């Protein structure tokens, strides 16, 4: 996640009964307008499942397809609502998108694009601001609505805009839109005050068309940044140092479409690690990349959840009950803020007292009240949460406040006596492909709650 990525917008989503229909992204074909997810405690989890492509990478790779004319192919693409929104955004520019298989997405990019990203589409998710850089590189101009998405507090795009201005972009923000234009992009040194993922990505994509060399200092280091760099390099760009604090882009070369498989989703991996941590058991996550989760796995080890690298993925095993520990969220390679709700859910059921310090988003603890409804003993003081573990939580009706908190509430239900029903599942469907079916495949007692 990106603490300086964009400005939150009001949640424009309609109630689940109006939004979620059978066959929509994140909802199985057999579901009938589900309005929630029902969770009951069961035995330990066992089995294996496949981890899909990273949502936070796929969305930026889709934005990057606008850099060149022709047919792109992305594989292992999750069928989630945010991917649908991004493909609709690309189609509004004049692109054509289609799936040739369950997870193989093709993007046909025309010679000319219409570089206007409307509020109706952009307001659905923060990642839409990622089209700003590539549209400037390809078209020399862009008009992009200020983005929406999960509301964790103020996340202005000033860092994006000031960095692009360093490359010669004229920027005006008015009437809810960013109007940007550049007759010629010029390579320049850009120093970021914070290792912003979104700003790093926008600069990287814009700089592929800049004259000369662009150097990003204090760049974000997430695996998704390195994945975007690999994608751009395969297209013909020259991006050096991705994954380190200094990224260099030698711009101006021709770009061409490519076939690419994104990195596995480390946040989805964390969801199932949390699930086995709470329910106990032993699971195998095929396609997972443990190297992307080193700090998280270290913390899980302190909690007595064992993980190890195996050929083609990772293995995890948890005892009946975890131990409490202290957690601090930081930019990569630190413990990601996206893991935080999952870790708090685990600490709610761990033995001892845990302390969680949130250093990225000011309002990331908004979901805590829902865990308290389930009997969790959590006290929030500013950016810290003090979590006194209980042997069991109590099943209760709760609502997802954002993508990751929604998944955390579902897995918390695995350790709650009675029945937990998670509502507002449109948040979950934005980032998790059929979470219910995947948990069921491991033996969890979960089901969709159909509408009436």
């Amino acid at each position: 996640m990106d603490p300086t990525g964009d400005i939150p917008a009001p949640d424009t989503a309609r109630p689940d009964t109006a939004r979620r229909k059978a066959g929509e992204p994140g909802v199985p074909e057999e579901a009938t307008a589900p309005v929630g997810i029902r969770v009951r405690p069961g035995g330990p989890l066992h089995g294996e499942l496949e981890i899909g492509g990273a949502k936070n990478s796929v969305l930026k790779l889709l934005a990057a397809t606008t850099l060149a004319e022709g047919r792109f192919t992305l594989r292992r693409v999750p069928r989630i609502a945010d991917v649908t929104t991004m493909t609709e955004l690309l189609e509004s520019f004049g692109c054509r998108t289609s799936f040739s298989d369950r997870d193989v997405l093709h993007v046909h990019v025309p010679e000319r694009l219409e570089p206007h990203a409307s509020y109706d589409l952009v307001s659905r998710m923060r990642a839409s601001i990622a089209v700003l850089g590539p549209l400037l590189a390809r078209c020399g101009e862009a008009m992009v609505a200020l983005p929406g998405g999960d509301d964790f507090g103020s996340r202005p795009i000033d860092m994006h805009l000031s960095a692009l201005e360093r490359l010669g972009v004229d920027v005006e923000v008015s009437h809810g839109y960013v109007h940007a234009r550049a007759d010629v992009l010029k390579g320049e040194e850009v120093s970021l005050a914070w290792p912003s993922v979104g700003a790093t990505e926008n600069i990287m994509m814009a700089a592929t068309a800049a004259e000369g060399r662009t150097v990003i200092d204090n760049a974000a280091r997430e695996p998704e940044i390195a994945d975007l760099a690999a994608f751009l390099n395969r297209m013909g760009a020259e991006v050096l140092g991705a994954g380190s604090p200094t990224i260099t882009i030698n711009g101006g070369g021709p770009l061409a479409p490519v076939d690419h498989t994104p990195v596995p989703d480390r946040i989805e991996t964390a969801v199932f690690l949390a699930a086995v941590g709470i329910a106990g058991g032993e699971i195998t996550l095929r396609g997972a990349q443990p190297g992307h989760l080193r700090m998280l796995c270290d913390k899980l080890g302190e909690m007595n959840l064992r993980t190890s690298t195996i050929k083609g993925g990772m293995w995890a095993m948890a005892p009946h009950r975890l131990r409490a520990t202290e957690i601090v969220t930081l930019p990569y390679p630190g413990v990601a803020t996206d893991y935080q709700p999952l870790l708090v859910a685990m600490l709610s059921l761990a033995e001892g007292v845990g302390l969680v310090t949130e250093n990225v988003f000011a309002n990331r603890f908004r979901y805590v009240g829902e865990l308290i409804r389930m009997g969790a003993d959590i006290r929030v003081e500013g950016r810290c949460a003090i979590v006194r573990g209980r042997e069991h939580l109590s099943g209760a009706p709760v609502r997802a406040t954002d993508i990751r908190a929604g998944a955390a509430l579902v897995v918390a239900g695995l350790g709650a006596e009675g029945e937990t029903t998670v509502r507002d599942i449109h948040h979950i469907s934005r980032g998790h492909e059929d979470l219910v079916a995947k948990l069921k495949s491991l033996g969890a007692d979960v089901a969709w709650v159909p509408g009436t």
Side-chain angles (χ1 to χ4, degrees):
M1 300 293 287
D2 179 6
T4 55
D6 46 286
I7 297 173
D11 186 356
T12 56
R14 291 168 290 168
D16 290 343
T17 51
R19 286 185 58 86
R20 310 308 302 140
K21 299 177 182 178
E24 286 190 7
V27 178
E29 293 290 342
E30 66 270 18
T32 304
V35 296
I37 296 174
R38 187 268 298 154
V39 189
R40 294 180 183 135
L45 303 184
H46 293 280
E48 61 179 51
L49 54 80
E50 187 81 24
I51 297 299
K55 164 184 124 59
N56 288 340
S57 189
V58 169
L59 298 178
K60 313 308 172 60
L61 299 176
L62 286 171
T65 63
T66 59
L67 287 166
E69 177 187 357
R71 182 177 184 265
F72 290 80
T73 298
L74 292 178
R75 303 180 185 275
R76 202 166 61 185
V77 174
R79 300 294 290 267
I80 55 177
D82 275 8
V83 168
T84 297
T85 297
M86 186 60 84
T87 57
E88 289 176 3
L89 189 57
L90 294 181
E91 289 169 358
S92 75
F93 301 153
C95 303
R96 289 183 293 114
T97 66
S98 62
F99 278 93
S100 64
D101 202 347
R102 173 68 190 174
D103 61 355
V104 180
L105 176 60
H106 305 285
V107 181
H108 301 261
V109 183
E111 180 181 2
R112 295 181 62 84
L113 295 173
E114 176 59 43
H116 177 199
S118 72
Y119 174 76
D120 286 345
L121 291 171
V122 174
S123 63
R124 297 184 197 172
M125 66 176 185
R126 300 189 311 113
S128 51
I129 194 63
V131 302
L132 184 59
L135 287 179
L136 282 165
R138 179 78 186 281
C139 306
E141 63 177 323
M143 185 165 71
V144 180
L146 295 174
D150 290 329
D151 182 4
F152 301 136
S154 179
R155 294 172 291 177
I157 61 169
D158 293 353
M159 195 178 301
H160 298 239
L161 303 185
S162 61
L164 291 172
E165 286 175 334
R166 293 277 294 171
L167 303 185
V169 179
D170 292 324
V171 176
E172 178 186 355
V173 180
S174 62
H175 305 292
Y177 279 84
V178 175
H179 303 257
R181 179 183 297 274
D183 294 330
V184 178
L185 289 166
K186 297 282 190 178
E188 186 57 84
E189 292 191 8
V190 179
S191 182
L192 299 178
W194 175 273
S196 161
V197 174
T200 300
E201 290 163 338
N202 257 324
I203 300 163
M204 286 169 60
M205 289 186 279
T208 61
E211 294 180 354
R213 175 174 296 181
T214 299
V215 178
I216 309 173
D217 183 49
N218 198 26
R221 300 165 59 186
E222 276 74 0
E224 294 79 17
I225 296 289
D227 197 28
L228 176 59
F231 186 78
L232 296 174
N233 285 336
R234 297 189 67 205
M235 290 177 65
E238 188 176 341
V239 182
L240 309 173
S244 77
T246 302
I247 299 176
T248 301
I249 307 100
N250 294 314
L255 302 178
V258 295
D259 186 317
H260 185 79
T261 300
V263 295
D265 198 318
R266 58 198 172 100
I267 313 301
E268 181 184 36
T269 303
V271 170
F272 297 110
L273 292 176
V276 76
I278 288 172
E282 181 178 351
I283 62 172
T284 298
L285 302 175
R286 299 190 309 272
Q289 176 52 266
H292 296 169
L293 300 101
R294 286 195 182 96
M295 190 68 73
L296 175 65
C297 288
D298 286 348
K299 283 296 172 184
L300 295 178
E302 293 175 12
M303 298 176 72
N304 206 25
L305 191 157
R306 296 169 57 195
T307 62
S308 65
T309 301
I310 60 173
K311 184 178 180 180
M314 67 184 298
W315 165 92
M317 183 176 74
H320 172 66
R321 192 176 184 194
L322 300 176
R323 294 191 300 254
T325 191
E326 182 176 343
I327 294 160
V328 177
T329 65
L330 290 167
Y332 192 87
V335 175
T337 183
D338 275 350
Y339 303 148
Q340 187 246 86
L342 297 165
L343 291 163
V344 171
M346 296 170 75
L347 290 172
S348 297
L349 288 150
E351 184 177 357
V353 180
L355 176 65
V356 180
T357 303
E358 173 60 47
N359 287 315
V360 181
F361 290 135
N363 294 338
R364 190 84 211 216
F365 289 122
R366 291 192 313 144
Y367 67 90
V368 162
E370 302 303 303
L371 282 174
I372 292 173
R373 283 179 55 81
M374 297 174 66
D377 185 350
I378 307 172
R379 185 172 80 253
V380 175
E381 297 180 357
R383 288 185 175 269
C384 295
I386 301 161
V387 188
R388 297 182 181 276
R390 296 186 182 278
E391 190 165 352
H392 298 288
L393 299 180
S394 300
V398 293
R399 67 180 188 89
T401 56
D402 61 73
I403 299 173
R404 310 310 180 183
L409 291 169
V410 172
V411 299
L414 299 174
E417 295 178 332
E419 183 171 289
T420 298
T421 303
V422 183
R423 302 279 176 158
D424 287 357
I425 58 172
H426 59 274
H427 289 297
I428 297 173
S429 68
R430 283 185 51 213
H432 298 281
E433 182 179 19
D434 204 1
L435 180 60
V436 167
K438 292 181 177 180
L439 285 171
K440 286 178 71 172
S441 74
L442 299 176
D445 187 352
V446 295
W448 296 102
V449 177
T452 55

